Amino acid sequence: MNKYKINYQEGGSHATSQKIFLLDGTSSSGKSTICKNFEKYGISCLVGDDYFSGKYFKDSEKKYEDFIKDLPNEYFGKATETFRNIVASRMIDDALKSEKSIIDFVLPKPFIEVIDSRGLNDIFKIILLYTSIPDLIRNIESRRKEGDSRGKFVFKQFAKRYSRSDDLGID
């Protein structure tokens, strides 16, 4: 069951060569690896970590601070829906600068909201990455050896995203 309640249907019928692909999956599911592999083919790779806390964070933070400055009694944190929508909007703006872009981000909902509000459904495609528990463990261990410890939260993401659909597997 799709716990995010996101509609994964294809967009409308307008033909265009521009495409934005969102890699949707838990942390350590392989989104960044896939994204980086496509860069060698001229496809722009936008990594959510760069925007949410990395090299593009200051710009997103400024837009957020400007947005909330006139709101009374504002006490949002940087992990709020408002901040995520600002980051999603910025990443989509950057993705639109290329003919084809891949967005690597764990939370698809703010992207869906921004794409819907802008009427960009025709150029937006979601690719759901499912990674099994043994593969997640392998990926987490590989990251740990490289000094990037993701910790147990990856398993919490997995448990929120997927539920057993029958005796044969997980949906």
Side-chain angles (χ1 to χ4, degrees), residues 8-40:
Y8 282 95
Q9 71 183 1
E10 221 175 286
S13 60
H14 297 89
T16 178
S17 63
Q18 184 161 23
K19 298 287 182 221
I20 299 173
F21 299 93
L22 174 68
L23 299 181
D24 176 14
T26 63
S27 180
S28 300
S29 63
K31 296 182 305 298
S32 296
T33 300
I34 290 169
C35 197
K36 289 174 185 166
N37 281 325
F38 276 93
E39 281 185 311
K40 61 187 164 197

Side-chain angles (χ1 to χ4, degrees), residues 54-147:
K55 61 185 173 182
Y56 303 120
F57 174 72
K58 291 289 185 197
D59 182 57
S60 298
E61 183 179 46
K62 180 173 179 354
K63 286 180 181 179
Y64 176 76
E65 297 297 334
D66 289 346
F67 177 79
I68 66 169
K69 72 180 178 187
D70 296 325
L71 298 177
N73 301 320
E74 183 55 49
Y75 47 88
F76 288 137
K78 296 295 185 288
T80 66
E81 186 176 334
T82 302
F83 187 69
R84 288 184 187 123
N85 285 347
I86 288 170
V87 171
S89 186
R90 165 82 193 282
M91 291 182 78
I92 290 167
D93 288 344
D94 289 351
L96 289 169
K97 295 174 185 172
S98 300
E99 186 175 345
K100 289 185 174 53
S101 301
I102 298 175
I103 294 175
D104 163 6
F105 201 79
V106 173
L107 301 169
K109 188 175 181 221
F111 291 91
I112 303 299
E113 290 171 359
V114 172
I115 289 291
D116 283 345
S117 72
R118 293 187 186 184
L120 297 171
N121 294 343
D122 291 345
I123 65 169
F124 187 70
K125 306 294 179 204
I126 299 172
I127 300 171
L128 178 61
L129 299 180
Y130 169 79
T131 306
S132 66
I133 295 285
D135 287 340
L136 280 178
I137 293 169
R138 181 200 66 220
N139 294 348
I140 291 167
E141 179 61 12
S142 174
R143 285 178 175 223
R144 185 192 65 77
K145 288 178 180 177
E146 295 171 359

